[in-house]
């Protein structure tokens, strides 16, 4: 696998482009987040989505009730058992989202150059001349000349289903607007976005808190996508709220950047959040089109250097209704990978799209091809320079593990971790080979009951580029720092196939294992290696790099396997 990687500076052989893509055990190093909805909620479709490469399932509470999403989640759990694919659960909050209230759900035709009134009176019926909205403070936030966009939820940019308005008058609580293009608003949910205007509503609304304290708490979600994050305080407030809800204190918070206020406070948000989602649909309204890619590149770079996952949205909108993406969309996906994105988030494409499985498969194939020409050498040097000296002990060892894996042409890096931090640090340096993260449970107590950690950490790594977790058997946990013999749950492996791997210098033979002074560590490693071989990831005579803790020390080993 490693030997087939090219650098962008090298010429690409035209003949190689015509060769069909080879299926691998892992569809791609870049992860895919799929939004589950009406077109993608059956057990059969979800199973196919997991097989195609979806590793995170997104539940969007901007629409649908808790009962609907619960049924979908139960189907996801069944699909996970059926496909034997691990999948994380992401809850996307509604946030301070403005919506057009169309109770009749009849299509509304708007004509260019005519006037329409936006009113907070939700008892009135929506007509071509009057649109009720769910926010009473709009008239206080806008002024003449401001731009307002109304589009179908998760709009795909089609001008036949979205409309641009320009504010011409503010009359009490009503806002009078001129319609810039003709469009028909058809469907139950239309959102409203005011360009570069702050809406005076909390980021975590009362509705969001109710959903989190009930649905999210009951289902122990892995990731919270905090919509319309505007500053670091938004993240701190959400984390404080989660900390009071039992196991949700382990839930990661991904800040969703959707407007210029969030952009302006990006650095402080990145420090507080566990990851970043760039909501390019709304950013494309707040920013001129020619500026969106600049922010994407700058934001992804900052995430990479901080070692925090960056997720890109809105990449193949046309696949909502078509079997193939446009050439521009395919290039956009590839550029997101080359920029350094950890994951691609699919919204309308899988929520209401006609081809959810094909979309995931197509995006995965594009990501895999882009990864072949990703310039890891340049990225590695840039990351090391950015971190500077002296490095922390763990970061120094993690970067060394990646460099060693590249030098010996290992096909796999095996990392033993309990918190997931070591695996994330390794992934930060973007190795070209998969990182098999063996998550070791720890037994904890609050003096009232004993619990295992590890499941959250394993699933949360499913959104990080290059990490493929294996969850250790909780029946043999590690208590605090005391080592314990582990066995791995065989069905927990994820998806793809390289040709070699990395551990610590020496050959692994039966004799040497028998002579090992640390039989426990060797037994854990042997199970991991056997599991990798069973999955087709590791082959005889491969080299594998292993990152593990021995006592209080972190060790990198290079193993050359025999038959």
């Amino acid at each position: 696998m490693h030997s087939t990687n090219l650098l962008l500076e090298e010429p690409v052989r035209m003949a190689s482009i015509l060769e069909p893509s080879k299926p691998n055990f892992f569809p791609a190093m870049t992860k895919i987040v799929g939004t589950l909805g009406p077109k993608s909620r059956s057990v059969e479709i979800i199973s196919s989505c997991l097989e195609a490469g979806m590793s995170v399932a997104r539940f969007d509470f901007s629409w649908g009730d808790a009962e609907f999403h619960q049924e979908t989640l139960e189907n996801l759990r069944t699909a996970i058992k059926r496909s034997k694919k691990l999948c994380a659960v992401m809850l996307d909050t509604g946030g301070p989202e403005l919506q057009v209230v169309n109770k009749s759900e009849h299509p509304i035709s708007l004509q260019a150059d005519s006037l329409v009134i936006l009113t907070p009176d939700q008892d009135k019926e929506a007509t071509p001349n009057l649109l009720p909205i769910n926010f009473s403070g709009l008239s206080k936030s806008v002024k003449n000349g401001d731009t307002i966009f109304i589009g179908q939820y998760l709009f795909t940019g089609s001008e036949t289903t979205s409309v641009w308005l320009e504010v011409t008058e503010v009359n009490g609580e009503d806002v009078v607007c001129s319609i810039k293009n003709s469009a028909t608003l058809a469907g139950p949910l239309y959102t409203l976005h005011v360009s570069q205007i702050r809406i005076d509503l909390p980021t975590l609304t009362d509705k969001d808190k109710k959903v989190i304290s009930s649905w999210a708490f009951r289902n122990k979600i892995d990731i919270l996508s905090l919509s319309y994050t505007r500053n670091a305080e938004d993240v701190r407030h959400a984390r404080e709220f989660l900390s009071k809800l039992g196991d949700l204190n382990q839930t990661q918070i991904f800040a969703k950047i959707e407007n210029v206020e969030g952009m302006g406070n990006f650095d402080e948000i990145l420090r507080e959040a566990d990851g970043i989602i760039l909501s390019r649909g709304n950013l494309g309204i707040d920013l001129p089109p020619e500026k969106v890619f600049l922010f994407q590149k700058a934001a992804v770079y900052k995430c990479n250097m901080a070692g925090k996952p960056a997720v890109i949205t809105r990449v193949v909108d046309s696949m909502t209704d078509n079997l193939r993406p446009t050439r521009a969309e395919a290039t956009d996906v590839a550029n997101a990978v080359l920029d350094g994105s950890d994951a691609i988030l699919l919204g309308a494409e899988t929520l209401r799209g006609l081809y959810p499985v094909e979309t995931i498969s197509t995006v995965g194939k594009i990501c895999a091809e882009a990864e072949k020409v990703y310039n890891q050498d340049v990225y590695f040097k840039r990351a090391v320079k950015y971190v500077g000296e002296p490095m922390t002990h763990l970061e120094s060892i993690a970067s060394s593990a990646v460099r060693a894996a590249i030098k010996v042409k290992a096909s796999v890096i095996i990392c033993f971790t309990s918190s997931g931090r070591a695996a994330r640090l390794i992934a930060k340096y973007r190795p070209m080979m998969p990182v098999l993260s063996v998550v070791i449970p720890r037994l904890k107590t609050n003096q009232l009951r004993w619990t295992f950690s590890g499941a959250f950490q394993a699933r949360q790594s499913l959104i990080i580029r290059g990490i493929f977790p294996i969850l250790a058997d909780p029946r043999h946990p590690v208590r605090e720092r005391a080592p314990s013999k582990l066995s791995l749950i065989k069905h927990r492996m994820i998806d793809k196939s390289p040709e070699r791997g990395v551990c610590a210098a020496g050959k692994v033979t039966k004799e040497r294992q028998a002579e090992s002074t640390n039989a426990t560590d060797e037994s854990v490693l042997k199970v991991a290696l056997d599991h990798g071989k069973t999955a087709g990831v590791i082959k005889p005579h491969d080299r594998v790099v292993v990152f593990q803790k021995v006592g209080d020390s972190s060790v990198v080993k290079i193993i050359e396997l025999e038959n």
Side-chain angles (χ1 to χ4, degrees):
M1 173 184 165
H2 179 72
S3 60
T4 63
N5 291 322
L6 299 170
L7 299 180
L8 280 176
E9 288 78 4
E10 297 177 0
V12 177
R13 291 186 302 108
M14 291 300 156
S16 69
I17 297 176
L18 299 178
E19 295 174 357
S21 301
K22 297 179 181 179
N24 289 318
F25 185 74
F26 299 119
M29 305 278 272
T30 306
K31 304 303 178 63
I32 298 176
V33 181
T35 304
L36 301 185
K39 298 293 185 180
S40 55
R41 66 189 303 255
S42 69
V43 174
E44 291 72 21
I45 293 295
I46 296 175
S47 296
S48 297
C49 288
L50 292 170
E51 294 287 351
M54 180 182 77
S55 61
V56 180
R58 174 175 173 256
F59 292 79
D60 191 346
F61 273 79
S62 289
W63 68 276
D65 56 25
E67 182 179 355
F68 178 91
H69 289 300
Q70 188 64 40
E71 291 176 1
T72 305
L73 180 56
E74 295 303 330
N75 289 344
L76 171 64
R77 289 168 174 161
T78 302
I80 289 172
K81 293 178 181 178
R82 177 181 296 184
S83 64
K84 295 182 171 61
K85 301 285 186 180
L86 200 59
C87 184
V89 173
M90 172 187 286
L91 184 154
D92 200 314
T93 63
E97 188 165 67
L98 307 189
Q99 299 177 359
V100 173
V101 180
N102 181 13
K103 294 180 179 179
S104 67
E105 297 189 9
H106 295 317
I108 304 170
S109 296
L110 304 175
Q111 298 300 317
D113 300 324
S114 60
L115 297 178
V116 64
I117 298 174
L118 305 180
T119 178
D121 189 349
Q122 299 182 37
D123 293 329
K124 293 184 177 179
E125 184 176 348
T127 69
N129 305 113
L130 183 72
L131 296 177
I133 62 174
N134 66 343
F135 179 49
S136 60
L138 183 64
S139 61
K140 299 177 182 178
S141 304
V142 300
K143 61 183 184 303
N144 288 3
D146 282 344
T147 299
I148 296 177
F149 176 85
I150 297 177
Q152 184 178 3
Y153 181 62
L154 294 177
F155 61 91
T156 59
S158 172
E159 291 306 316
T160 61
T161 60
S162 56
V163 63
W164 291 90
L165 310 175
E166 182 179 319
V167 177
T168 60
E169 182 184 354
V170 176
N171 184 7
E173 290 190 327
D174 294 343
V175 178
V176 182
C177 300
S178 171
I179 302 173
K180 308 304 290 184
N181 64 281
S182 298
T184 299
L185 306 184
L189 181 58
Y190 272 80
T191 58
L192 181 150
H193 190 96
V194 186
S195 180
Q196 300 195 15
I197 297 296
R198 189 185 196 285
I199 301 301
D200 191 20
L201 288 172
T203 300
L204 196 65
T205 65
D206 290 339
K207 178 184 176 182
D208 294 330
K209 291 180 178 179
K210 183 178 179 180
V211 168
I212 293 171
S213 59
S214 56
W215 192 88
F217 175 74
R218 181 169 66 251
N219 294 296
K220 299 180 180 179
I221 63 162
D222 304 299
I223 300 170
L224 179 73
S225 171
L226 189 60
S227 296
Y228 296 95
T229 303
R230 292 174 283 201
N231 50 55
E233 184 56 35
D234 288 343
V235 181
R236 286 191 288 267
H237 176 67
R239 200 177 301 281
E240 181 183 2
F241 183 73
L242 290 176
S243 69
K244 301 173 183 177
L245 296 174
D247 287 336
L248 291 190
N249 62 2
Q250 300 180 73
T251 298
Q252 290 189 342
I253 298 176
F254 277 50
K256 203 172 179 187
I257 308 300
E258 310 197 46
N259 51 40
V260 291
E261 189 174 0
M263 289 173 53
N265 297 319
F266 185 84
D267 289 346
E268 67 173 53
I269 292 172
L270 179 61
R271 285 192 293 271
E272 288 292 332
D274 298 300
I276 296 291
I277 298 175
L278 301 181
S279 182
R280 301 193 306 172
N282 286 335
L283 284 173
I285 297 171
D286 261 20
L287 289 175
E290 68 273 16
K291 297 289 188 180
V292 176
F293 86 96
L294 288 173
F295 175 66
Q296 173 178 316
K297 288 181 177 293
V300 170
Y301 171 78
K302 286 174 180 280
C303 289
N304 289 168
M305 295 303 101
K308 295 185 178 182
V311 182
I312 299 295
T313 70
R314 310 303 300 274
V315 289
V316 286
D317 284 347
S318 70
M319 290 195 75
T320 303
D321 302 305
N322 299 288
L323 193 56
R324 289 170 64 94
T326 65
R327 295 180 297 278
E329 288 173 335
T331 303
D332 188 28
V333 174
N335 280 328
V337 174
L338 296 176
D339 284 345
S341 302
D342 286 82
I344 302 295
L345 190 154
L346 301 174
E349 304 98 324
T350 55
L351 176 82
R352 65 169 187 266
L354 302 178
Y355 309 101
V357 179
E358 293 83 355
T359 300
I360 292 170
S361 176
T362 298
V363 170
K365 290 176 182 177
I366 297 170
C367 290
E369 289 298 319
E371 289 161 6
K372 293 178 182 178
V373 296
Y374 182 74
N375 198 327
Q376 195 277 340
D377 186 60
V378 169
Y379 173 86
F380 184 90
K381 292 177 181 177
R382 185 170 59 185
V384 169
K385 182 179 180 180
Y386 181 89
V387 173
E389 296 178 354
M391 280 185 173
T392 65
H393 175 77
L394 190 59
E395 181 134 23
S396 175
I397 298 295
S399 61
S400 297
V402 174
R403 178 54 78 191
I406 293 170
K407 291 295 185 182
V408 302
K409 290 182 165 37
S411 61
V412 174
I413 299 175
I414 297 176
C415 176
F416 294 92
T417 181
S418 56
S419 67
R421 181 166 173 244
R424 291 195 300 270
L425 274 176
I426 290 174
K428 172 182 175 179
Y429 288 91
R430 293 291 188 259
M432 302 306 293
M433 63 289 298
V435 178
L436 299 186
S437 174
V438 182
V439 181
I440 302 172
R442 290 188 180 276
L443 190 58
K444 302 185 300 182
T445 181
N446 60 2
Q447 307 303 322
L448 296 177
R449 65 189 181 106
W450 291 90
T451 58
F452 292 112
S453 68
F456 273 95
Q457 289 75 13
R459 293 191 299 265
Q460 286 165 348
S461 65
L462 287 167
I463 201 168
I464 301 175
R465 181 163 162 174
I467 297 182
F468 300 91
I470 305 170
L471 183 61
D473 191 335
R475 290 171 298 181
H476 302 284
V478 173
R479 295 174 185 245
E480 298 180 354
R481 292 193 177 230
S484 172
K485 185 172 181 178
L486 300 170
S487 61
L488 297 177
I489 300 174
K490 294 208 193 279
H491 72 266
R492 291 293 190 183
M493 188 68 189
I494 326 293
D495 24 302
K496 198 168 177 183
S497 81
E499 301 116 28
R500 312 191 176 176
V502 183
C503 283
K507 297 211 176 225
V508 178
T509 62
K510 290 183 179 179
E511 292 77 15
R512 179 169 176 178
Q513 286 182 358
E515 296 168 359
S516 173
T517 58
N518 195 331
T520 299
D521 288 347
E522 290 292 340
S523 66
V524 176
L525 178 57
K526 184 179 184 303
V527 173
L529 292 171
D530 289 344
H531 192 51
K533 285 186 282 187
T534 301
V537 178
I538 302 172
K539 299 181 178 63
H541 306 294
D542 276 356
R543 293 173 182 170
V544 177
V545 173
V546 175
F547 181 105
Q548 64 185 134
K549 293 205 75 172
V550 178
D552 292 329
S553 301
S554 298
V555 177
V556 175
K557 301 189 293 185
I558 301 172
I559 293 178
E560 188 171 335
L561 302 175
E562 295 184 347
N563 288 332

